């Protein structure tokens, strides 16, 4: 194993799961065979291999290493990954964010913080990494009407803090295509929307960001069945790209290579279909003037 221990608990969980799955498959063992030997539930091994557990017990990792007969160096590295999940927390797991962040936001925060680049399509709303405080506030008041103002303000702070991935020392590379409807749907009224569109134009000027708008006149395209985010990890992590999907009730990740390739093709089609960055900025400017 050449990958060294990273600081992020999320990345540790993902790398640990990826390695455990790779080692099991190389050993020629099925998940059913493993859980029978350890008297585990099938879901426990699945959660370990997909990096879904918030913490991982080093003892569980050692039990798997014994079954797989891994060498001592690899076993120690895997145990170190597990130890990080036990001793460190990602910032969004701390107070005051912990009570207000759901499984979906937790998942995307962790994946974004571990990524080298994102390729995203948004059909209905401004991408979260571009949203202004008032736009965020309006969305949460609408979708979390039962929440207190204090909780809503915490959600606003949480999303704004999440946006730091675009401005860190090694900034995330963000290529995003939005449907023209995103520009025209007023969220929070004219003033809020005008400020939000101005923010999109400002963000698009950064060298690590590519923003395109697919206009209504483009007609039909494959991605019309919903938003998605393709996540590429840093090369040194040895993690393969995955696709993150989310709807009103649930969120999930696609890892199978054929699924990821399908979304990569759809995203490339979107980028070819949409006008280039400058013409896309012109569409945003036009939408601002027409508010």
């Amino acid at each position: 194993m050449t990958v060294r221990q990273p600081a992020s608990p999320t990345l540790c969980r993902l790398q640990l799961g990826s390695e455990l799955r790779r080692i099991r498959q190389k050993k020629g063992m099925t998940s059913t065979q493993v859980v029978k030997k350890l008297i585990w539930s099938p879901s426990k091994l699945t959660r370990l291999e997909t990096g879904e557990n918030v913490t991982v017990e080093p003892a569980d990792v050692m039990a798997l290493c014994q079954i797989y007969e891994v060498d001592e160096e690899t076993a120690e590295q895997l145990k170190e990954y597990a130890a990080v999940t036990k001793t460190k927390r990602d910032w969004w797991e701390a107070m005051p964010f912990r009570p207000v962040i759901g499984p979906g936001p937790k998942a995307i925060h962790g994946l974004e913080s571990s990524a080298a680049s994102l390729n995203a399509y948004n059909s209905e709303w401004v991408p979260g990494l571009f949203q202004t405080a008032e736009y965020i506030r309006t969305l949460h008041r609408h979708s979390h009407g039962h929440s207190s103002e204090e909780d809503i303000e915490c959600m606003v702070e949480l999303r704004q803090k999440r946006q730091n991935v675009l401005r860190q020392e090694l900034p995330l590379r963000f290529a995003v295509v939005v449907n023209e409807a995103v520009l025209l749907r007023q969220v929070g009224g004219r003033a809020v929307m005008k400020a939000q569109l101005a923010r999109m134009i400002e963000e698009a000027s950064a060298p690590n960001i590519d923003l395109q708008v697919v206009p209504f006149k483009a007609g039909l395209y494959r991605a019309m069945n919903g938003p998605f985010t393709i996540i590429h990890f840093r090369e040194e992590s040895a993690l393969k790209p995955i696709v993150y999907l989310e709807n009103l009730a649930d969120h999930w990740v696609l890892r199978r290579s054929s699924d990821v390739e399908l979304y990569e093709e759809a995203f490339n089609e979107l980028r070819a279909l949409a006008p280039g960055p400058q013409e896309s900025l012109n569409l945003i400017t036009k939408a601002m003037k027409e508010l």
Side-chain angles (χ1 to χ4, degrees):
M1 252 173 82
T2 58
V3 179
R4 300 312 303 167
Q5 176 181 311
S8 162
T10 296
L11 189 52
C12 281
R13 291 196 299 272
L14 291 170
Q15 289 183 303
L16 174 61
S18 177
E19 278 299 306
L20 288 174
R21 185 169 60 254
R22 182 189 65 79
I23 292 168
R24 173 179 60 77
Q25 291 171 344
K26 185 177 180 181
K27 186 72 175 175
M29 296 183 71
T30 66
S31 299
T32 302
Q33 290 172 324
V34 174
V35 297
K36 280 185 177 179
K37 280 181 175 288
L38 293 173
I39 319 177
W40 286 1
S41 68
S43 63
K44 179 172 180 176
L45 183 61
T46 299
R47 290 176 65 82
L48 271 173
E49 290 190 349
T50 55
E52 292 181 23
N53 290 18
V54 173
T55 62
V56 180
E57 294 295 336
D60 289 341
V61 174
M62 288 299 96
L64 290 170
C65 287
Q66 288 177 2
I67 288 176
Y68 301 152
E69 299 178 320
V70 303
D71 62 82
E72 186 176 342
E73 181 182 358
T74 300
E76 281 303 309
Q77 181 65 76
L78 294 174
K79 189 165 70 172
E80 285 178 24
Y81 285 151
V84 169
T85 75
K86 294 279 288 182
T87 59
K88 294 185 179 182
R89 288 289 180 271
D90 291 302
W91 62 263
W92 54 89
E93 294 281 0
M95 297 295 287
F97 304 122
R98 192 187 308 157
V100 300
I101 185 170
K106 274 185 186 178
I108 193 60
H109 276 60
L111 294 170
E112 284 175 351
S113 70
S114 306
S117 66
L118 303 179
N119 293 342
Y121 168 64
N122 286 63
S123 57
E124 301 297 331
W125 59 85
V126 172
L129 294 178
F130 291 163
Q131 291 172 4
T132 65
E134 199 55 49
Y135 190 96
I136 300 166
R137 196 172 285 117
T138 303
L139 289 178
H140 281 299
R141 281 178 180 153
H142 181 75
S143 57
H144 301 277
H146 60 282
S147 298
S148 67
E149 281 299 308
E150 184 180 359
D151 282 351
I152 287 173
E153 288 307 310
C154 190
M155 293 175 193
V156 172
E157 183 183 353
L158 179 69
R159 183 156 299 182
Q160 288 184 308
K161 195 171 175 66
R162 167 187 163 194
Q163 294 168 353
N164 289 335
V165 294
L166 297 177
R167 303 171 187 87
Q168 58 196 6
E169 188 176 350
L170 287 174
L172 187 74
R173 182 78 192 176
F174 190 34
V176 58
V177 179
V178 300
N179 184 359
E180 189 177 1
V182 170
L183 312 181
L184 304 180
R185 177 170 289 106
Q186 287 195 29
V187 174
R190 291 177 67 252
V192 171
M193 202 62 206
K194 185 168 281 193
Q196 178 59 78
L197 294 176
R199 170 70 176 275
M200 291 178 72
I201 292 171
E202 179 186 352
E203 293 287 358
S205 67
N208 58 309
I209 293 173
D210 293 310
L211 171 61
Q212 292 175 263
V213 178
V214 58
F216 294 136
K217 66 181 182 181
L220 294 171
Y221 50 91
R222 275 193 290 179
M224 287 181 70
N225 59 347
F228 60 87
T229 302
I230 306 167
I231 300 160
H232 296 89
F233 299 97
R234 301 196 183 279
E235 192 173 322
E236 60 269 22
S237 75
L239 290 169
K240 295 180 179 179
I242 60 176
V243 176
Y244 176 82
L245 302 169
E246 187 174 356
N247 62 24
L248 191 62
D250 202 0
H251 72 279
W252 60 101
V253 168
L254 302 178
R255 303 173 187 275
R256 192 166 57 188
S257 296
S258 58
D259 291 334
V260 175
E261 287 171 8
L262 180 66
Y263 279 89
E264 293 275 21
E265 289 170 6
F267 188 74
N268 290 336
E269 178 186 286
L270 274 170
R271 296 203 70 179
L273 190 63
Q278 186 54 57
E279 192 175 342
S280 293
L281 289 179
N282 293 342
L283 286 171
I284 300 173
T285 302
K286 181 174 180 287
M288 281 182 66
K289 290 178 178 177
E290 292 177 352
L291 279 170

